[in-house]
Amino acid sequence: GEGIQPPPAEVLRALHDQRSAPDGRSAALESLKGHFKDWQREGVEGLIAVTGDRGAGKGHLLEAAALLFADSLDVQHLRPPEHHLRGPEGLAWLGRATGAGTKPDLDGMIAAVLSIPPTAWLVDDLHRLFLRQVGGFEALQDVLVVMGQTASHHLWVVTCHAPTWQYLSGVRLR
């Protein structure tokens, strides 16, 4: 019978080469290196988003970035919980994850995060802080405000699923 046929060998080779080829990742790592140097020199561009589809290698890029930053900064890996967070749960998660503790508002959290020595915070799967529903942006928005306000002191590199990032880029947040 016909059954299910495996893909041709050349297709399997191309897929393997695409997944293992460092070209795309090397270019992205070089870009991160440039942003890192700018941040060290001028304290700018300290919040960097790495976007891509599932399986695109965003997590692997963060691992490589950790080695890049480790000579200059303490490097901490963060990942929001599997379940999506709502409202003030975003700040509570960030406080726990960074060691800044629980703070009642954005200003308190910003001050607490600024009191931590300069750190490279590598945050994988930032899209977990977003719910596609009314009021579903608050957790993500609060966390991004803290990251943005502390980005001259800390280096934040976050990964986000590309379709989520594209959706968010068209939404006006408060």
Side-chain angles (χ1 to χ4, degrees):
E2 291 182 23
I4 298 175
Q5 299 296 317
E10 63 272 8
V11 171
L12 291 175
R13 267 193 307 279
L15 288 171
H16 177 268
D17 292 346
Q18 181 181 355
R19 295 264 308 149
S20 59
D23 295 343
R25 204 171 308 155
S26 293
L29 198 55
E30 284 301 313
S31 178
L32 275 177
K33 192 182 295 186
H35 286 294
F36 180 52
K37 287 179 182 176
D38 290 345
W39 176 80
Q40 284 181 306
R41 189 175 47 254
E42 303 166 23
V44 297
E45 298 186 22
L47 175 54
I48 302 164
V50 176
T51 65
D53 289 324
R54 287 185 184 95
K58 299 178 301 290
H60 291 294
L61 182 63
L62 280 188
E63 290 173 20
L67 298 174
L68 174 70
F69 307 141
D71 288 340
S72 305
L73 294 168
D74 182 31
V75 176
Q76 296 294 320
H77 294 265
L78 308 178
R79 176 176 271 168
E82 291 286 333
H83 65 283
H84 293 275
L85 300 178
R86 300 174 189 277
E89 293 173 348
L91 282 184
W93 166 77
L94 187 63
R96 285 189 308 274
T98 61
T102 304
K103 304 299 174 215
D105 59 19
L106 280 170
D107 290 337
M109 184 58 71
I110 291 166
V113 170
L114 285 172
S115 72
I116 299 169
T119 302
W121 299 103
L122 308 181
V123 185
D124 205 4
D125 296 332
L126 188 70
H127 52 268
R128 291 182 180 169
L129 297 175
F130 156 71
L131 286 170
R132 190 179 248 168
Q133 68 180 37
V134 174
F137 299 104
E138 188 178 337
L140 176 62
Q141 182 171 310
D142 287 349
V143 168
L144 285 173
V145 166
V146 173
M147 290 176 175
Q149 292 296 310
T150 62
S152 61
H153 182 71
H154 296 294
L155 181 66
W156 299 92
V157 182
V158 303
T159 69
C160 187
H161 186 225
T164 301
W165 190 261
Q166 289 169 341
Y167 176 79
L168 291 171
S169 68
V171 173
R172 184 169 180 213
L173 300 175
R174 64 174 157 97

